[in-house]
Amino acid sequence: MYRKWVAGGLIVLGLLYSSPGSVAASEYGLTDAQQKKIVEPYDRFYHAAFADKAAVEDFGMYKIPGLYEAATLSLATGKIAESQTMTPQGIALTDKYVLISAYSHDHQNHSVIYMLDRQTHRYLKTVVLPGHPHLGGIAYDPKHQRVWVTTDGLYAGLASIDLKVMEDYQLEDQRVVAYHQQISLNNIARASALTYTSGVLVVGYFTLDEYGRMSTYRLNDQGELTTTSQEKVSSFDAGQPNKATQMPVAPPQFARSIGAWKTLAMVQGIAFYKDYLLMSQSWGPERSGKIYFFNLDKVDRYFSIKDAEFKVDTPPYIEQITVSDDQLFTLFEGAAFPYRRRNPVLVDHAIQLRIDDLLEKTDE
């Protein structure tokens, strides 16, 4: 039995979760109808998600893979292992795919990117990354057909992967995917959120008790980040990890930032839509998530709550957001094993919102 507290009272939903077998990315959890019902009390969110989706595949939603069991590689052995603690963090879109990043919450296994068919909504494959970065952000550069992810370690960092390399990747080979480029960031303490816009990567830093930070980094004509010195960034094959750590050692060079701003605390995702910068914010099960809309013509160097043109309440545990045309894709981590028993509003689908429906309701 699953209990959900909402503003209008207690809703009790009978949900039976079977114990999944050994699968690459399981399909267990809520049905589409159950998912719709659970988010219904979030009026603006619900309206934007489902008002025009009756004839759309799965109401425009994508079941998040790997929440109950997923195949990856063991950090200790490098062999295929089944994880029950994979926790989704980021979402990005290509013409063909929905990409969802996830990390092993128990730190026993490699982090991954799930590839889903954007048209059919079906899970396709799991791509295993070097080490166990948190992967709070993922973005796609369509010009160079390259995927970027946030990495961590001694310094905040970014790494890129050619989409073709991901398409060719096979987990059965028991190797991690090869990075095209990996580089550190010297203008931000931690890379927690990520988005791409017009040849620029925008990186956000999650904080709890103080303002966050957002920095921008321009890609060159080859779709790579340049460094603060004259040294050339080394590309390396991440498929040949250091045997002691199962993770390749990145060159100690730093990307050149072209600007920085103060942001809200607890920012999980950032995205651009026309003249707006959107920020998703969440922390813990006891409070609703938020999506803030900032008019870029009205904000200078500091994005504060009072400067937001309006906000949208969401279920708890909202993570990264990304925009495609007039659709805002939202991802949640609250259905992952570490959170789902204490999560009052379970969301195990990535849900699309029609942004024009959100903008129509700004007078609320």
Side-chain angles (χ1 to χ4, degrees):
M1 187 69 70
Y2 168 66
R3 293 187 171 188
K4 182 174 83 73
W5 287 97
V6 296
L10 177 66
I11 295 177
V12 181
L13 300 174
L15 301 179
L16 179 63
Y17 291 96
S18 303
S19 177
S22 180
V23 290
S26 66
E27 294 273 341
Y28 293 82
L30 300 169
T31 65
D32 292 342
Q34 288 171 329
Q35 186 64 90
K36 282 186 63 182
K37 184 67 175 177
I38 283 177
V39 303
E40 188 173 0
Y42 296 86
D43 177 64
R44 184 186 289 181
F45 183 95
Y46 181 86
H47 175 77
F50 304 115
D52 62 345
K53 302 285 177 56
V56 178
E57 184 79 19
D58 301 323
F59 302 103
M61 297 187 294
Y62 295 79
K63 180 65 72 69
I64 301 171
L67 292 171
Y68 298 89
E69 189 164 66
T72 178
L73 296 180
S74 166
L75 286 167
T77 68
K79 304 297 183 182
I80 293 177
E82 300 294 338
S83 173
Q84 288 79 44
T85 71
M86 299 306 292
T87 304
Q89 293 295 295
I91 184 169
L93 308 171
T94 77
D95 290 340
K96 295 181 179 179
Y97 309 112
V98 173
L99 308 176
I100 295 176
S101 64
Y103 76 101
S104 168
H105 195 273
D106 60 10
H107 304 294
Q108 299 301 305
N109 300 294
H110 283 259
S111 301
V112 303
I113 297 174
Y114 303 119
M115 299 182 70
L116 291 80
D117 187 294
R118 188 167 173 179
Q119 182 174 358
T120 66
H121 298 209
R122 295 186 180 278
Y123 161 81
L124 297 175
K125 67 165 66 176
T126 297
V127 177
V128 182
L129 274 62
H132 53 93
H134 195 76
L135 295 183
I138 181 172
Y140 179 63
D141 170 8
K143 181 178 179 180
H144 300 94
Q145 298 187 356
R146 196 165 286 153
V147 176
W148 287 88
V149 294
T150 56
T151 60
D152 43 39
L154 184 60
Y155 302 102
L158 294 172
S160 64
I161 313 165
D162 289 329
L163 182 61
K164 182 62 166 59
V165 171
M166 294 178 62
E167 291 176 326
D168 293 341
Y169 177 87
Q170 296 296 326
L171 175 60
E172 292 75 14
D173 294 338
Q174 301 190 73
R175 294 183 61 196
V176 295
V177 72
Y179 285 149
H180 174 84
Q181 183 185 21
Q182 185 173 17
I183 191 168
S184 299
L185 308 177
N186 67 350
N187 202 27
I188 193 166
R190 181 183 177 191
S192 311
L194 180 65
T195 194
Y196 169 92
T197 180
S198 302
V200 172
L201 294 173
V202 183
V203 185
Y205 169 39
F206 176 92
T207 59
L208 270 180
D209 302 321
E210 58 181 0
Y211 64 81
R213 192 174 182 87
M214 186 174 70
S215 292
T216 55
Y217 302 86
R218 187 177 301 282
L219 299 174
N220 63 20
D221 291 342
Q222 290 73 48
E224 298 176 344
L225 290 172
T226 56
T227 63
T228 54
S229 70
Q230 298 302 311
E231 298 175 78
K232 182 179 179 181
V233 176
S234 299
S235 296
F236 61 94
D237 182 4
Q240 300 294 329
N242 179 289
K243 291 183 179 179
T245 62
Q246 292 295 308
M247 184 174 180
V249 179
Q253 296 149 330
F254 294 90
R256 181 185 294 113
S257 172
I258 59 174
W261 294 263
K262 294 179 181 179
T263 70
L264 311 181
M266 297 180 287
V267 169
Q268 302 282 3
I270 49 180
F272 291 93
Y273 176 73
K274 296 183 178 178
D275 295 330
Y276 290 100
L277 174 64
L278 285 63
M279 295 185 188
S280 58
Q281 182 192 64
S282 71
W283 178 252
E286 303 301 327
R287 65 181 83 183
S288 297
K290 308 286 184 186
I291 301 173
Y292 292 93
F293 282 68
F294 294 93
N295 189 322
L296 292 171
D297 291 332
K298 299 179 180 179
V299 180
D300 188 13
R301 307 299 293 181
Y302 181 32
F303 294 85
S304 65
I305 290 178
K306 66 180 178 61
D307 295 321
E309 246 181 50
F310 69 98
K311 70 178 184 295
V312 179
D313 288 340
T314 79
Y317 291 111
I318 189 170
E319 289 291 311
Q320 188 171 355
I321 55 178
T322 192
V323 169
S324 176
D325 297 325
D326 69 340
Q327 296 292 317
L328 175 65
F329 287 68
T330 60
L331 184 74
F332 297 80
E333 70 172 357
F337 176 78
Y339 308 113
R340 63 175 173 258
R341 289 187 179 275
R342 56 191 170 106
N343 182 8
V345 189
L346 199 70
V347 180
D348 66 2
H349 291 66
I351 302 177
Q352 295 184 59
L353 310 177
R354 187 171 179 267
I355 301 177
D356 287 346
D357 286 339
L358 298 175
L359 296 176
E360 288 172 3
K361 301 170 79 66
T362 58
D363 57 341
E364 291 185 359

